[in-house]
Amino acid sequence: MEKGLKTNRRDFLKIAATAGGGLLIGFNWMGCDSPKMKVISDEEVLNSALNFNSYLSISPTDHVVIYSPNPELGQNIKTSFPMIVAEELDVDWSKVRVQQAFLDTEKYDRQVTGGSGAMPHSWERLRTAGATARQMLMEAAAKRLAVPLTELKTEKGQVIHGSKKLSYGELANEAALIPVPENVQLKNPNDFKIIGTPIKNVDNRAMFTGKPLYGLDFYREGMVHAMIQRPPFGMKLKSVDAEAAKKIKGVKDVVTFKNNVALVGESTWPLMKARKTLNIQYEPIDGKLESTAFHNQVFDEMLNTGKGDVKRQDGDVNAAFRSAARVIKSEYQCPFLSHSPMEPMNFFAHVKADGVELVGPTQTPDRARNAAAEICGISPDKVTVEMTRLGGGFGRRLRADFVEEAVELSKMLQAPVKLTWSREDDITGGAYRPAVKYRFEAALDKDNKLIGYKLRGVGINAGNCTRENNFPSGSVDNLLIESLEYKSPITTNAWRAPITNFLAFAEQSFLDEVADAAGKDPVAFRLELLDRAKSNPVGEIHYDIDRMRKVVETVAEKSGWGKKQGVSQGFSVYFSHRSYVGQVAEARMVDGVPVLDKIYAVTDCGIVVNPTGADQQVRGGMVDGMGHAMFTNMTFTDGISDQKNFDSYRLIKMKEIPEIETHFIKNGIDPTGLGEPALPPTGGAIANAIYKASGKRVRNQPFMEQEEMKNVRLGDPA
């Protein structure tokens, strides 16, 4: 595979060796004009770290430094990105050191973590970066040895010619003088030695030994700490009495801005104590304060009488339902959910005369920079963003509200500020997964063939709460999908696998209901629909039928679908974020109670770069989907969340996690993303298994608060 490159015009910039020696290659994600070659000294390299963050470097001592541009929040890209570069560079992984790059939109066009898109976006770019450095090192070796380039090969950081071996470090200075090649050859995937090999997380040692990696670890001499009391949803600040708070030792000041009351001090502990003494009065902004009972009423009214936005319509749905021999109709509902990452929101901001310095955990560093620039009325290039490792995100850190608060306070106080949210702030502070309710209807003819399908969804601040082009669209002759939205003061945001995190459960559970009504095996029923989509597609097909079918067949095989005695199996398959995941859950009855024992998962995400990280992503997504489907709930009373901390916001426990067995489809296609796709199908597989075991169908989340699910146990029959 060959990739074309042009110096000063396309992806790569050659920066000549430093005075101390070595090869430094910078590459530009955006493909715009690059600066001309420049010889710089060691001191210039160090002083220009912000300007030269898009590169890999090779020192005369054989050490390789690879910069990882995207925020790392546990999805393992800080390890897997450099693995890709190192593979094409053909370097000894033990000599590789990985650094987190600063924000630089001139060099990266997607310095974002979200949507499972980092790997698909960067795959070829990273491969080409490594291949370019390798080509230059080989050309340097050919010149030194006076041999044709075709007689050379590389292995573990060495260029080899017969019995002669030259290390990359030995060649680094000479390679720095080689013109950047316009075309480089990429490896055949069959020759990969690092990609596809289990590699430990590069931050493991630092995490295990408590090294400062996260935003909460960051400290700057002279900074002040801040915490904020925010208003309930739909209310505004009326008055505040902070006299008692100001008297607490360690509290420097109490200030107000944009309906917020901020406490400033020497550390978070006195601020947390002082906040309890605040006497704050609020008043409604406009109209009625919202509660869960009101939201339930909104759902029902809009489902029954609201005008839906038609997202997809195939065939004549009304005629299909009029002629149906049988109609199946069900409703599914999910609550708001907090992201609740282990590391609560926090950020450091220092507004100075000549710009703004930002440091902290963010999934969207460019959004943080632009927000700071707007608040301060300056150009974004006057704002620097240093990304720390994120202690979880799940979409919450796509927003910049916590960054904006830190900037506002630093500007107001004229001091560097470290803003920290408490756990209670994190759970009650908004930007939740939207609450949604769906109504599904299916029409069967006299031969139990699915001839009509309707989905109508209402979301609260959800935008389009459907995914109209996902399966089973394209496999049903008559189909109607509609979305409705209710606008609420309760703030929402993307939550891991946006929309599909609940929609997949609802769709896959309903398809099981339809299969049951038609007297068909659930797996065979999905395959029948896929066959129809393949042989006689209805409208546009936006998913890969063959990839989905392979996942369905493989998970059925691995789980022994339909062949086990004393075990009830539930099936689910879903396509989201370019990848496909099929799951089979197994439950059995113990003393009249269904117990979930095991879940099989088969994933097609293309080439698996790091099996260790991929396995963790699938397992983590499944546990996340399982726990939130089973236990987690958010309810509201007059604009205030009833759940404040983990004592009432229930998460899954370690002992409740059943056995998980993972498999990956090997098809050689480029990676398609993995951070989110394993979560959506999990709830459906579990619910379908429990229905098979107990005869009880659960349609609302959290499962454990539904009458049908009383006493169900996860992975813990004792």
Side-chain angles (χ1 to χ4, degrees):
M1 182 177 184
E2 195 170 86
K3 298 295 294 179
L5 302 171
K6 291 189 177 179
T7 309
N8 299 327
R9 295 296 301 174
R10 295 291 300 275
D11 286 350
F12 285 86
L13 161 69
K14 158 72 184 341
I15 305 174
T18 69
L23 171 66
L24 183 66
I25 295 190
F27 45 101
N28 188 327
W29 287 158
M30 297 188 70
C32 59
D33 286 355
S34 300
K36 294 180 179 180
M37 288 195 305
K38 178 184 177 185
V39 178
I40 55 177
S41 67
D42 288 336
E43 183 178 356
E44 285 177 309
V45 171
L46 293 172
N47 292 338
S48 304
L50 288 177
N51 296 324
F52 300 109
N53 61 19
S54 177
Y55 66 78
L56 67 91
S57 64
I58 302 170
S59 74
T61 58
D62 260 351
H63 287 89
V64 178
V65 177
I66 300 174
Y67 274 67
S68 182
N70 290 58
E72 171 63 70
L73 51 71
Q75 80 281 39
N76 210 43
I77 56 172
K78 193 175 176 183
T79 303
S80 56
F81 272 20
M83 285 176 65
I84 298 168
V85 178
E87 177 67 70
E88 292 290 350
L89 181 58
D90 213 0
V91 69
D92 184 345
W93 179 255
S94 65
K95 297 288 183 69
V96 173
R97 189 160 55 91
V98 182
Q99 295 288 340
Q100 177 69 59
F102 279 65
L103 172 68
D104 194 328
T105 53
E106 290 188 3
K107 294 182 173 66
Y108 309 106
D109 64 2
R110 195 188 185 277
Q111 214 169 348
V112 172
T113 291
S116 302
M119 183 61 72
H121 174 269
S122 302
W123 170 249
E124 282 197 13
R125 292 167 169 84
L126 293 168
R127 292 184 67 188
T128 307
T132 297
R134 177 175 172 271
Q135 176 78 10
M136 294 168 69
L137 289 159
M138 290 182 68
E139 289 186 19
K143 188 174 182 180
R144 181 193 285 197
L145 298 174
V147 298
L149 188 66
T150 54
E151 294 182 6
L152 299 176
K153 66 177 182 178
T154 59
E155 185 177 345
K156 290 190 174 182
Q158 294 180 318
V159 180
I160 301 171
H161 182 261
S163 60
K164 294 181 180 179
K165 296 181 180 180
L166 297 173
S167 73
Y168 285 176
E170 291 179 75
L171 295 166
N173 287 337
E174 294 159 66
L177 303 176
I178 300 293
V180 176
E182 293 190 4
N183 297 284
V184 292
Q185 191 74 27
L186 301 184
K187 281 187 178 182
N188 185 317
N190 293 329
D191 297 328
F192 287 162
K193 299 172 184 176
I194 296 176
I195 292 173
T197 302
I199 300 289
K200 294 179 181 179
N201 189 309
V202 296
D203 281 340
N204 272 357
R205 179 177 293 275
M207 288 190 286
F208 296 158
T209 56
K211 294 293 190 296
L213 291 171
Y214 300 94
L216 284 176
D217 296 325
F218 182 80
Y219 174 79
R220 173 68 54 78
E221 190 69 34
M223 74 181 189
V224 295
H225 289 267
M227 301 190 81
I228 294 174
Q229 182 64 48
R230 299 163 188 86
F233 297 107
M235 303 193 81
K236 62 182 179 180
L237 185 65
K238 183 178 181 181
S239 65
V240 56
D241 180 355
E243 290 307 309
K246 292 179 179 179
K247 293 177 182 178
I248 292 178
K249 184 179 179 181
V251 175
K252 294 178 177 291
D253 201 358
V254 178
V255 297
T256 62
F257 70 99
K258 295 184 176 178
N259 280 326
N260 296 315
V261 180
L263 301 98
V264 183
E266 299 171 356
S267 67
T268 56
W269 180 241
L271 301 183
M272 294 172 74
K273 291 196 297 182
R275 185 157 65 167
K276 295 177 181 179
T277 70
L278 292 172
N279 183 4
I280 303 176
Q281 300 297 318
Y282 296 103
E283 58 185 353
I285 295 174
D286 181 27
K288 180 181 178 181
L289 298 177
E290 295 183 4
S291 299
T292 297
F294 171 72
H295 292 152
N296 290 336
Q297 181 182 345
V298 166
F299 281 140
D300 292 339
E301 289 179 354
M302 293 186 72
L303 276 177
N304 290 330
T305 62
K307 180 175 174 54
D309 181 10
V310 176
K311 295 300 181 180
R312 177 162 176 159
Q313 186 169 6
D314 296 327
D316 189 337
V317 174
N318 292 333
F321 275 82
R322 283 196 302 268
S323 67
R326 186 172 181 184
V327 172
I328 301 94
K329 180 178 178 180
S330 291
E331 294 180 357
Y332 289 78
Q333 184 173 334
C334 72
F336 291 99
L337 287 181
S338 168
H339 300 76
S340 58
M342 284 295 99
E343 180 189 26
M345 301 303 105
N346 67 91
F347 227 80
F348 170 86
H350 189 187
V351 177
K352 299 175 282 190
D354 58 348
V356 180
E357 178 190 12
L358 300 177
V359 182
T362 172
Q363 292 178 245
T364 51
D366 193 36
R367 176 178 289 180
R369 180 174 71 170
N370 289 335
E374 183 175 348
I375 290 170
C376 297
I378 60 176
S379 171
D381 62 11
K382 300 294 184 183
V383 181
T384 63
V385 183
E386 178 182 348
M387 291 170 281
T388 63
R389 188 179 179 93
L390 287 68
F394 314 112
R396 178 61 181 89
R397 288 185 161 98
L398 290 170
R399 288 172 67 100
D401 53 329
F402 50 96
V403 181
E404 293 169 6
E405 291 174 342
V407 174
E408 293 272 14
L409 284 172
S410 179
K411 180 183 178 184
M412 180 186 302
L413 300 171
Q414 297 184 351
V417 172
K418 172 72 173 293
L419 173 70
T420 303
W421 290 39
S422 67
R423 175 60 59 199
E424 290 82 358
D425 292 335
D426 222 37
I427 290 179
T428 64
Y432 305 117
R433 182 197 63 183
V436 181
K437 188 168 186 175
Y438 295 113
R439 175 179 293 162
F440 292 87
E441 296 178 72
L444 298 176
D445 67 9
K446 61 182 178 57
D447 297 319
N448 286 320
K449 177 183 176 182
L450 180 61
I451 59 172
Y453 182 90
K454 290 196 287 188
L455 166 60
R456 183 174 169 89
V458 178
I460 299 178
N461 295 345
N464 176 15
C465 65
T466 72
R467 290 296 180 264
E468 62 273 11
N469 293 318
N470 279 9
F471 179 80
S473 294
S475 68
V476 186
D477 291 337
N478 308 286
L479 176 142
L480 176 64
I481 296 179
E482 299 176 287
S483 178
L484 299 89
E485 182 179 29
Y486 172 75
K487 294 292 188 180
S488 168
I490 296 175
T491 57
T492 61
N493 195 52
W495 192 96
R496 192 175 188 178
I499 301 300
T500 61
N501 54 61
F502 176 70
L503 177 61
F505 153 69
E507 285 182 349
Q508 290 299 302
S509 294
F510 182 68
L511 286 176
D512 245 47
E513 292 194 62
V514 178
D516 191 46
K520 297 179 179 180
D521 174 83
V523 170
F525 180 59
R526 265 76 160 198
L527 292 175
E528 175 189 316
L529 292 175
L530 287 171
D531 285 344
R532 273 201 249 166
K534 181 82 171 180
S535 62
N536 190 25
V538 181
E540 295 182 350
I541 302 291
H542 289 256
Y543 50 92
D544 189 312
I545 297 169
D546 294 333
R547 289 179 70 188
M548 181 174 275
R549 184 182 184 89
K550 181 66 173 178
V551 162
V552 172
E553 293 173 338
T554 305
V555 76
E557 175 200 342
K558 296 295 184 183
S559 65
W561 176 262
K563 299 177 181 179
K564 297 182 177 180
Q565 298 297 318
V567 173
S568 297
Q569 295 178 311
F571 176 80
S572 180
V573 63
Y574 208 71
F575 158 66
S576 67
H577 296 87
R578 300 165 298 276
S579 295
Y580 301 78
V581 181
Q583 295 181 15
V584 171
E586 294 185 342
R588 58 193 169 87
M589 298 299 289
V590 178
D591 298 328
V593 175
V595 175
L596 183 68
D597 285 329
K598 185 172 183 176
I599 306 180
Y600 297 83
V602 171
T603 301
D604 178 356
C605 59
I607 292 172
V608 174
V609 174
N610 185 355
T612 298
D615 182 67
Q616 292 168 350
Q617 282 295 291
V618 171
R619 291 173 184 271
M622 292 171 68
V623 171
D624 206 4
M626 184 188 317
H628 285 92
M630 295 293 294
F631 301 111
T632 317
N633 195 9
M634 288 206 76
T635 56
F636 289 85
T637 301
D638 293 335
I640 300 175
S641 169
D642 298 319
Q643 293 73 27
K644 306 291 191 296
N645 208 319
F646 290 142
D647 58 337
S648 54
Y649 189 74
R650 170 79 153 89
L651 299 180
I652 193 170
K653 300 173 183 176
M654 292 285 287
K655 69 175 185 177
E656 293 168 330
I657 300 172
E659 181 183 352
I660 296 174
E661 183 176 314
T662 64
H663 301 272
F664 294 87
I665 300 294
K666 296 180 180 180
N667 53 21
I669 69 172
D670 290 352
T672 53
L674 194 54
E676 289 154 298
L679 186 153
T682 305
I686 293 172
N688 292 336
I690 291 175
Y691 169 74
K692 192 76 175 289
S694 67
K696 296 178 180 179
R697 178 74 67 182
V698 62
R699 297 184 178 89
N700 298 330
Q701 293 183 0
F703 296 170
M704 300 304 283
E705 294 188 16
Q706 312 309 313
E707 187 62 35
E708 300 88 346
M709 294 289 282
K710 295 294 184 183
N711 301 318
V712 171
R713 294 197 294 269
L714 293 180
D716 183 29

